[in-house]
Amino acid sequence: MVSKHRTAIVTGAARGIGAAVATRLASDGLAVGVLDLDEEACTGTVDAITAAGGQAVAVGADVSDEASVARAVVRVGDELGSPTVLVNNAGITRDTLLFKMAVGDWDAVMAVHLRGAFLMSRAVQSSMVDARFGRIVNLSSTSALGNRGQVNYAAAKAGMQGFTKSLAFELGKFGVTANAIAPGFIETEMTVATAERVGASFADFKAVAAAQIPVNRVGQPEDIAHTASFLISEGAGFVSGQVIYVAGGPKD
Ligand code: NAD
């Protein structure tokens, strides 16, 4: 079904989970603003979408920069129509133990995840409120429950959950839902980098992770895209303020 609410923005969509979400939303019938730090890096995602008959535009923007976010949202509105779907997916890690963590490691992670989701949501909310329809999906993580070497990332991802629930309270009466997806181990460049940091081959790192996951495999970006597709659908209008763990098993 082609949605009548046609425009989405997916941040951090040049690769990994964001690219899979953008591609999936395009195949669901939405025009997609494929946003990432480097516009050129978005070309692969945009080309995949257009080759499949979808509509997308590459947008270079830093989600942690207020002016950059404002420009990006205006551009998507001009080229694809006012956005009524936002997936706050852009993310970074700066993992290290607390005693070694620099203030810059803390600030960088907070800036991309929390400040970024705040700036993007604030910039897009008015078109959602005007349309009396909107869907915001925020990427949290199982790390929100606490993870060694990730005090910054865990705090940011737990913060995403409180942010999401507050958006749900504020925007619900305008037809806008807000939900969080909390992925477990997903095979992307982010987890490749984590394996490198701990000195493991990616194959070994994945095998160890999979052995601890009830469904006995690590996740793929498409697992997250599938959940996002449900949450942004028009039929999911009574699901709001939820955190959905997509981790191959239950989490506390
Ligand atoms: P990734 O590193 O492959 O991709 C992240 C993308 O975000 C990159 O393209 C990067 O350029 C972009 N980005 C970073 N800073 C940005 C900024 N300031 N402005 C715009 N774009 C920016 O990561 P991924 O694994 O695809 O992760 C996507 C999201 O899912 C992140 O929020 C991550 O924290 C979360 N997540 C990932 C996993 C996992 O196992 N991979 C698990 C839980 C949560």
Side-chain angles (χ1 to χ4, degrees):
M1 184 190 77
V2 175
S3 168
K4 65 180 188 290
H5 303 291
R6 286 194 42 85
T7 302
I9 298 178
V10 182
T11 71
R15 68 185 199 200
I17 293 170
V21 171
T23 305
R24 175 60 188 264
L25 298 198
S27 75
D28 289 346
L30 286 92
V32 183
V34 175
L35 187 154
D36 212 294
L37 278 174
D38 174 14
E39 182 169 329
E40 195 64 26
C42 298
T43 308
T45 308
V46 169
D47 288 351
I49 289 171
T50 47
Q55 196 185 359
V57 60
V59 182
D62 178 350
V63 296
S64 68
D65 181 271
E66 187 176 12
S68 178
V69 164
R71 278 194 301 275
V73 171
V74 167
R75 189 165 155 222
V76 171
D78 288 347
E79 296 193 25
L80 300 175
S82 295
T84 52
V85 172
L86 170 65
V87 181
N88 284 310
N89 167 82
I92 60 169
T93 53
R94 292 286 183 274
D95 297 353
T96 192
L97 295 174
L98 174 66
F99 79 100
K100 289 193 281 191
M101 188 173 286
V103 171
D105 296 327
W106 177 269
D107 288 346
V109 168
M110 294 302 152
V112 178
H113 297 272
L114 288 177
R115 185 181 159 93
F118 156 67
L119 290 173
M120 287 298 308
S121 303
R122 196 184 60 171
V124 170
Q125 58 80 31
S126 62
S127 60
M128 296 182 177
V129 170
D130 288 350
R132 291 294 188 272
F133 174 89
R135 299 282 183 263
I136 298 175
V137 175
N138 297 318
L139 268 290
S140 179
S141 167
T142 52
S143 292
L145 302 167
N147 200 22
R148 187 179 163 79
Q150 289 196 318
V151 292
N152 50 359
Y153 186 80
K157 290 309 201 185
M160 290 294 265
Q161 299 189 8
F163 176 68
T164 301
K165 291 176 189 186
S166 302
L167 289 179
F169 278 122
E170 287 192 24
L171 298 175
K173 62 174 175 280
F174 304 108
V176 179
T177 67
N179 292 284
I181 300 174
F185 188 120
I186 308 294
E187 188 169 345
T188 68
E189 288 185 43
M190 185 177 276
T191 40
V192 168
T194 307
E196 278 169 14
R197 182 177 59 81
V198 301
S201 76
F202 194 51
D204 289 347
F205 194 61
K206 271 197 306 183
V208 169
Q212 293 164 353
I213 296 171
V215 302
N216 205 34
R217 67 169 176 91
V218 301
Q220 297 299 322
E222 291 71 24
D223 291 311
I224 307 307
H226 193 71
T227 310
S229 171
F230 163 70
L231 288 172
I232 66 98
S233 67
E234 289 175 32
F238 208 53
V239 181
S240 195
Q242 300 304 302
V243 178
I244 303 185
Y245 283 87
V246 182
K251 290 286 164 186
D252 292 334

